[in-house]
Amino acid sequence: MPEQHHHRARAADGPRVLVQGEPVDHCPVPPPEATRGSVLRITEAGEEVLHRPCRPAGAEFGSPELARLIDDMFATMYTAEGAGLAANQVGVDLQLFVYDCLDDAGVRHVGHILNPVMEPEDVRGRRLVDDDEGCLSVPGAAMEVPRSARTVVRGQDRDGRPITVEGTGYFARCLQHETDHLHGRLYLDRLSGRDRRTALRQTAERRERVLAQRAARAERLRAEHPVVP
């Protein structure tokens, strides 16, 4: 999911940062994971891995391979100017997503979560918010999508420990968007036929420019933070 630049610009106004749902004094931009990782190719709408549910994580917990994948996903998300990225967006069939996203109060949320499950909402108190939404797997497109104003997601961290993350505003949207990915659902699937066609036209017109921008950012990341073998 792409970041919203006006949200990112407000980060300097508020010192609060939550990493894995817990407050910390500071987290650099890009986060440490991004400077350790390698940039992977982002899958695009129409590729089979994006359109089926991902398998739950289990044996991967605590492994160097999982730690490396999380680092690579952060690097990929950062160079694509994303606020969230799911594992199937880098071609990996696993219930995992990473995020670095501001909520509407200017609080920055950074982390990863495996096997995420959204808490059921009381429909009587549920508040929906319409806002523009894009997807790194639908490059260059953005359409208005209604989402819940608040979301609580429970899952596990890379070592299998339980984690709970609560989001409001744009971060709640991010959590819902990424959890959708792991169920094989794109935001395109929430659009009317007409809006879906509009989003796909936007992608056809803007895709090459967006991919060129990502490649340039990947080069800058590697120049500024070379990965030591």
Side-chain angles (χ1 to χ4, degrees), residues 45-57:
E47 296 184 44
E48 193 266 343
V49 70
L50 288 174
H51 300 279
R52 56 178 168 81
C54 293
R55 64 177 179 82

Side-chain angles (χ1 to χ4, degrees), residues 11-119:
D13 299 332
R16 294 187 59 197
V17 183
L18 300 181
V19 174
Q20 296 297 108
E22 298 295 331
V24 299
D25 292 333
H26 174 70
C27 181
V29 179
E33 295 90 339
T35 63
R36 296 192 299 258
S38 299
V39 177
L40 307 176
R41 175 185 172 272
I42 296 178
T43 54
E44 296 186 32
E47 296 184 44
E48 193 266 343
V49 70
L50 288 174
H51 300 279
R52 56 178 168 81
C54 293
R55 64 177 179 82
E60 297 84 2
F61 288 127
S63 69
E65 292 79 12
L66 178 58
R68 182 65 179 179
L69 174 61
I70 290 170
D71 288 350
D72 291 349
M73 288 174 63
F74 267 100
T76 304
M77 178 179 68
Y78 178 75
T79 58
E81 298 187 276
L85 184 73
N88 55 358
Q89 291 184 274
V90 293
V92 178
D93 177 21
L94 188 66
Q95 288 186 16
L96 161 68
F97 67 79
V98 301
Y99 58 87
D100 186 350
C101 183
L102 292 180
D103 63 25
D104 289 356
V107 178
R108 182 180 173 210
H109 301 262
V110 183
H112 67 273
I113 189 164
L114 293 108
N115 302 332
V117 176
M118 287 195 298
E119 281 191 356

Side-chain angles (χ1 to χ4, degrees), residues 121-208:
E121 291 186 272
D122 184 345
V123 294
R124 293 170 298 179
R126 186 185 187 198
R127 184 168 68 88
L128 293 178
V129 177
D130 288 318
D131 201 355
D132 283 347
E133 187 167 322
C135 179
L136 301 184
S137 292
V138 191
M143 298 297 297
E144 195 170 84
V145 180
R147 295 279 192 184
S148 293
R150 176 185 176 273
T151 300
V152 176
V153 175
R154 300 187 186 276
Q156 295 157 288
D157 70 8
R158 67 185 187 181
D159 294 314
R161 294 173 298 212
I163 182 174
T164 300
V165 180
E166 179 178 346
T168 59
Y170 194 69
F171 183 47
R173 179 174 296 273
C174 176
L175 293 173
Q176 293 166 69
H177 179 107
E178 302 308 330
T179 302
D180 268 0
H181 269 302
L182 302 184
H183 292 291
R185 191 174 193 185
L186 299 181
Y187 88 101
L188 295 175
D189 299 321
R190 293 183 175 274
L191 301 178
S192 67
R194 182 178 64 180
D195 285 349
R196 180 187 174 96
R197 290 190 293 273
T198 298
L200 293 175
R201 280 198 301 271
Q202 290 175 351
T203 292
E205 295 167 358
R206 303 168 184 170
R207 177 179 179 273
E208 293 305 318

